[in-house]
């Protein structure tokens, strides 16, 4: 069964600090992996997307890495801001089809002043 | 562009009632989706559509129906609401497969409670 596991479930950090969120998946075959940010009461918004051949991608202060051999991804947030407080969701596509996505349950990040 | 819009934002239903969740997008996307998000769980696909007149079941379709008469609109119908359908419902759309981004764009969600 395709699964996406994220850790930690929740994380609290102080403003300005860095943090790393983890995503392990068992989806096969693998097509691409996305990270979404979901603010409270809003829909998810895409941060990055990586295919099999990509092992790092940045979007401002967000840097995602992918190790397709170990089936692991991480999202690193640099110099956190209060606005980074949100749920971060890892989503894996097993077939390249947007219809067949496996969603992780998310990491709830809280950034405190 | 307004993107993906959903109405209503909140709704409380009694067991056995029915309702339609509305979803519209103005990005001319062919693909549209309905998900539900339960607390502490990943999003689950209910139904999706690859274009007007074409719909198909996702992972958790029981208790729901959809239609797609236009490219813009993709309503989700709940018949005989049950407490197990208490959830947050998200509509999403995406360009046709093979587009460079192949990213889904989500609406703001509808929070539904069935009592």
């Amino acid at each position: 069964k395709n699964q996406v596991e994220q850790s930690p479930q929740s994380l609290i950090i102080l403003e300005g600090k860095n943090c790393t969120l983890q995503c392990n998946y068992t989806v096969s075959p693998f097509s691409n992996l996305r990270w979404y940010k979901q603010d409270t009461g809003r829909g998810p918004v895409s941060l990055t997307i990586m295919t099999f051949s990509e092992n790092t991608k940045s979007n401002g202060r967000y840097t995602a890495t992918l190790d397709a051999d170990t089936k692991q991804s991480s999202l690193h947030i640099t110099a956190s801001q209060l606005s980074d407080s949100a749920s971060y969701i890892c989503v894996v596509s097993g077939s390249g089809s947007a219809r067949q996505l496996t969603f992780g349950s998310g990491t709830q990040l809280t950034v405190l002043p | 562009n307004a993107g993906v819009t959903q109405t209503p934002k909140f709704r409380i239903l009694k067991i056995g009632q029915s309702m339609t969740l509305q979803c519209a997008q103005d990005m001319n996307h062919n693909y549209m989706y309905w998900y539900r998000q339960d607390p502490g769980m990943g999003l689950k696909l209910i139904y999706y559509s690859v274009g007007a007149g074409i719909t198909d079941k996702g992972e958790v379709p029981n208790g729901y129906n959809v239609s797609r008469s236009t490219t813009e609109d993709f309503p989700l119908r709940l018949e005989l609401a049950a407490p197990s359908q208490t959830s947050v419902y998200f509509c999403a759309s995406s360009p046709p497969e093979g587009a460079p981004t192949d990213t889904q764009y989500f609406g703001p969600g509808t929070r539904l409670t069935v009592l």
Side-chain angles (χ1 to χ4, degrees):
Chain A
K1 181 181 178 183
N2 290 337
Q3 285 190 314
V4 174
E5 301 286 342
Q6 292 188 244
S7 61
Q9 273 192 319
S10 61
L11 182 63
I12 300 174
I13 62 173
L14 293 177
E15 186 178 14
K17 298 297 186 182
N18 303 336
C19 67
T20 300
L21 315 180
Q22 301 290 343
C23 172
N24 295 341
Y25 62 92
T26 59
V27 177
S28 181
F30 172 84
S31 176
N32 59 59
L33 183 146
R34 301 170 173 83
W35 282 93
Y36 281 86
K37 178 186 180 188
Q38 184 176 20
D39 292 316
T40 301
R42 308 289 293 271
V45 175
S46 177
L47 291 175
T48 65
I49 177 172
M50 289 183 292
T51 60
F52 184 88
S53 60
E54 298 174 298
N55 53 26
T56 187
K57 184 166 281 189
S58 293
N59 178 0
R61 294 180 296 103
Y62 300 101
T63 299
T65 64
L66 173 65
D67 185 335
D69 291 331
T70 61
K71 299 187 177 181
Q72 295 180 324
S73 176
S74 65
L75 180 69
H76 186 74
I77 304 175
T78 304
S80 61
Q81 300 176 357
L82 298 179
S83 59
D84 292 331
S85 293
S87 178
Y88 292 84
I89 301 172
C90 176
V91 185
V92 179
S93 174
S95 66
S97 167
R99 295 168 289 180
Q100 297 178 5
L101 304 178
T102 303
F103 287 76
S105 57
T107 291
Q108 183 65 46
L109 175 66
T110 302
V111 181
L112 298 178
Chain B
N1 287 349
V4 179
T5 58
Q6 293 182 237
T7 57
K9 290 188 186 301
F10 305 94
R11 184 71 185 270
I12 298 175
L13 285 181
K14 294 182 179 179
I15 295 172
Q17 287 185 319
S18 61
M19 76 164 293
T20 299
L21 282 67
Q22 301 292 344
C23 173
Q25 53 92 10
D26 61 359
M27 297 174 283
N28 202 32
H29 286 169
N30 286 4
Y31 287 73
M32 295 188 74
Y33 316 79
W34 275 106
Y35 292 93
R36 58 178 289 170
Q37 186 177 38
D38 299 324
M41 305 290 287
L43 276 75
K44 300 290 186 184
L45 182 64
I46 304 171
Y47 271 96
Y48 65 94
S49 169
V50 302
I54 306 171
T55 63
D56 206 349
K57 296 178 181 179
E59 184 179 357
V60 290
N62 291 347
Y64 308 94
N65 278 301
V66 294
S67 59
R68 183 94 181 270
S69 57
T70 67
T71 299
E72 294 78 19
D73 300 300
F74 190 40
L76 177 72
R77 178 82 176 164
L78 277 72
E79 306 281 2
L80 298 175
S84 61
Q85 293 178 307
T86 294
S87 188
V88 181
Y89 291 84
F90 288 100
C91 178
S93 71
S94 67
E97 287 174 296
T101 56
D102 193 29
T103 293
Q104 294 189 341
Y105 297 82
F106 286 84
T110 293
R111 184 174 296 273
L112 176 67
T113 302
V114 181
L115 301 174

